[in-house]
Amino acid sequence: MLEKILDGNIQIIDSVIDWKDSIKIAGKPLLEKNIITENYINAMIESIEKLGFYVILRDNLAMPHARPEDGTLGTGVSLLKLNNPVYYGNSKVQLVFVLATKDADSHMETLMQLMELFQDDESIEKLIVSKDYDEILEIIKKY
């Protein structure tokens, strides 16, 4: 299931300027597919500026998101894999998953699959060292 929702929404790049840049780039596939609006990207950044780096879910992984009314047109997930980490505050991040949901309920199954992935140390480590799109899809295939 995760493989299906992430297919076409995975980017691998060397580095970004800062955490804000990582969110803008990570959200781009969802923006291009009209799953989110530009306002959603701005809302994710504003939310972190206001509340702090609550989007850090574990070492090397962040999941920026905002409220559905901030500009989601559908439900989707994208992944930005950075070869060189960016800092979210004091936390080093190489995996940026953007979550967009059109309502409060439609994303629960996807969120449960993501949480399963996020708790799997071996899979996270493989994602961090992966350099190839197909390799990433292969890792997330089991979720």
Side-chain angles (χ1 to χ4, degrees):
M1 177 73 178
L2 268 188
E3 173 191 10
K4 191 174 155 199
I5 200 164
L6 274 166
D7 194 17
N9 297 339
I10 299 169
Q11 303 171 86
I12 304 167
I13 63 174
D14 278 333
S15 58
V16 292
I17 298 165
D18 59 17
W19 66 267
K20 292 177 187 178
D21 195 36
S22 76
I23 292 173
K24 291 174 188 171
I25 294 168
K28 199 171 185 176
L30 301 178
L31 189 63
E32 289 170 352
K33 290 181 177 179
N34 289 320
I35 293 171
I36 62 172
T37 64
E38 192 71 48
N39 192 59
Y40 190 77
I41 291 173
N42 295 332
M44 288 188 285
I45 292 169
E46 286 169 18
S47 184
I48 292 169
E49 287 175 335
K50 202 180 300 174
L51 303 172
F53 295 102
Y54 68 96
V55 299
I56 302 297
L57 301 186
R58 62 169 293 152
D59 287 348
N60 266 311
L61 190 147
M63 191 170 75
H65 55 282
R67 303 191 55 75
E69 60 270 19
D70 289 329
T72 56
L73 307 170
T75 297
V77 178
S78 63
L79 166 61
L80 172 63
K81 192 276 182 182
L82 298 166
N83 293 329
N84 299 298
V86 63
Y87 280 87
Y88 279 58
N90 296 324
S91 301
K92 200 168 64 164
V93 172
Q94 286 182 264
L95 303 171
V96 181
F97 286 84
V98 169
L99 175 66
T101 65
K102 64 181 177 205
D103 57 47
D105 302 317
S106 62
H107 67 293
M108 292 316 279
E109 188 178 334
T110 301
L111 197 53
M112 284 169 36
Q113 291 163 342
L114 283 169
M115 290 305 135
E116 204 177 310
L117 168 63
F118 297 167
Q119 292 172 11
D120 184 339
D121 294 342
E122 187 181 328
S123 290
I124 294 300
E125 197 52 45
K126 285 179 182 174
L127 286 174
I128 290 167
V129 298
S130 64
K131 302 278 186 229
D132 174 82
Y133 187 93
D134 292 327
E135 192 180 340
I136 289 175
L137 273 185
E138 194 59 40
I139 295 164
I140 60 172
K141 211 179 246 183
K142 64 180 181 180
Y143 299 96

